[in-house]
């Protein structure tokens, strides 16, 4: 469901780096927070032509200049290849981390990002939250954290971090073949996974038992090393299934984006972003019994030139 409003932290006006930006860059930043397309991870499609239409005095180059300034100051990051934009501090600035269910959705949205550049930045943001669930997603987004931007780099739009969670349970050490430092991904793919060897390789449709064969029917089994290995194997299977589902969702999003691009290219009515003015185009082809608006316009231009 699209957002109906956005949140701006008033302390942004106390931020020296933000005040040092031009009026154009500041307006662009506020405009991005007000987009209904922003997901809970702070990622939205790059639609410069559409954003330029929000003001009659703004051009596409004005928008691009504002984005360049914001990226230089690390407020946003843009990937022209995948046409995605990330508002870097969105998880904190929009209050996502204070809403458990919304934050869970944000983690799912983060894993669907196509841009390797944005995935790396998001991984750094998630690790900075010092949360177990965020750290696990960060490891899948960027399996090699040594290449991410260090915490020492200035963080201009960052609000105060949430306090550490002292009650959070630390993960138990894993057994042989499923190392704690390894990613749960089984192969390289859309989510930035890395191939690793695991002792447990079962890929059946039904999950394996979390108990060993000796205690499989015991409702309250005693402490058992074999049961511990079985629990780890069951969790590994669950992680693999989740990764497969995430890959499928990512591929569906990519296919939908490609279909939309083809529909826009074939539509004679809308602009390059799929809009007619400020309205979303339904890509309805003009009736064959009469020329399209574009054809009439081209004809009028040709006659004028003659």
């Amino acid at each position: 469901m699209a957002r109906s409003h956005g949140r701006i932290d008033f302390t942004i006006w106390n931020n020296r780096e933000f005040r040092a930006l031009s009026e154009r860059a500041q307006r662009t930043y506020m405009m991005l927070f007000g987009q209904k397309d922003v997901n809970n991870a702070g990622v939205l499609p790059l639609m410069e032509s559409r954003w330029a239409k929000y003001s009659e005095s703004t051009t596409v180059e004005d928008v691009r200049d504002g984005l360049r300034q914001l990226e230089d100051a690390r407020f946003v990051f843009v990937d022209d290849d995948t046409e995605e934009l990330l508002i870097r501090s969105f998880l904190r600035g929009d209050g996502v981390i204070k809403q458990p269910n919304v934050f869970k959705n944000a983690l799912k949205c983060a894993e669907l990002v196509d841009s390797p550049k944005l995935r790396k930045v998001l991984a750094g943001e998630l690790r900075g939250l010092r949360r177990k669930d965020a750290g696990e997603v960060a490891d899948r987004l960027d399996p090699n954290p040594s290449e991410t931007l260090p915490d020492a780099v200035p963080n201009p739009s960052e609000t105060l971090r949430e306090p550490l969670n002292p009650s959070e349970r630390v993960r138990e050490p894993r057994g042989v073949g499923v190392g704690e430092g390894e990613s749960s991904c089984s192969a390289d793919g859309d989510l930035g996974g890395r191939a690793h060897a695991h002792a447990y390789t079962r890929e059946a449709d039904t999950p394996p038992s979390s108990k060993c064969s000796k205690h499989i029917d015991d409702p309250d089994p005693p402490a058992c090393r074999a049961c511990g290995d079985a629990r780890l194997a069951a969790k590994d299977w669950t992680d693999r299934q989740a990764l497969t589902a995430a890959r499928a969702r990512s591929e569906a999003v990519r296919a939908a984006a490609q279909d939309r691009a083809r529909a826009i290219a074939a539509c004679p009515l809308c602009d390059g972003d799929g809009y007619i003015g400020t309205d979303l185009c339904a890509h309805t082809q003009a009736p064959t019994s009469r020329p399209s608006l574009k054809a009439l316009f081209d004809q009028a231009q040709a006659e004028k030139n003659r």
Side-chain angles (χ1 to χ4, degrees), residues 11-155:
T11 60
I12 190 70
W13 302 112
N14 298 328
N15 187 298
R16 293 181 180 179
E17 288 80 6
F18 189 77
R19 293 204 306 266
L21 293 172
S22 69
E23 181 180 355
R24 175 183 296 172
Q26 290 180 349
R27 178 190 178 278
T28 303
Y29 189 71
M30 297 300 176
M31 179 271 297
L32 293 174
F33 261 89
Q35 294 304 299
K36 62 183 178 180
D37 304 301
V38 183
N39 64 29
N40 287 324
V43 179
L44 68 161
L46 183 63
M47 295 185 289
E48 297 156 330
S49 298
R50 173 184 171 185
W51 298 336
K53 292 183 175 70
Y54 291 154
S55 172
E56 293 183 357
S57 62
T58 300
T59 65
V60 173
E61 187 53 42
D62 291 336
V63 174
R64 291 172 180 167
D65 179 59
L67 294 177
R68 281 193 292 267
Q69 294 183 52
L70 290 171
E71 184 159 20
D72 289 342
R74 300 187 68 249
F75 283 93
V76 306
F77 287 87
V78 177
D79 192 322
D80 293 320
D81 292 334
T82 61
E83 296 185 336
E84 293 172 300
L85 181 146
L86 167 67
I87 303 174
R88 187 183 57 77
S89 64
F90 188 86
L91 293 173
R92 291 181 299 276
D94 201 62
V96 173
I97 58 176
K98 298 179 181 179
Q99 306 173 68
N101 290 334
V102 177
F103 185 70
K104 288 180 181 178
N105 178 261
L107 295 179
K108 294 179 180 178
C109 292
E111 294 202 67
L112 295 178
V113 174
D114 286 329
S115 167
K117 172 184 175 181
L118 302 191
R119 291 168 71 86
K120 187 177 289 292
V121 176
L122 260 178
E125 288 295 299
L126 292 173
R127 290 190 177 101
L129 299 179
R130 304 295 193 269
R131 291 177 50 140
K132 175 184 174 181
D133 51 355
E136 291 174 345
V137 173
D139 289 341
R140 292 196 288 271
L141 293 176
D142 179 27
N144 188 1
S146 63
E147 295 182 358
T148 58
L149 297 176
D151 289 339
V153 174
N155 202 355

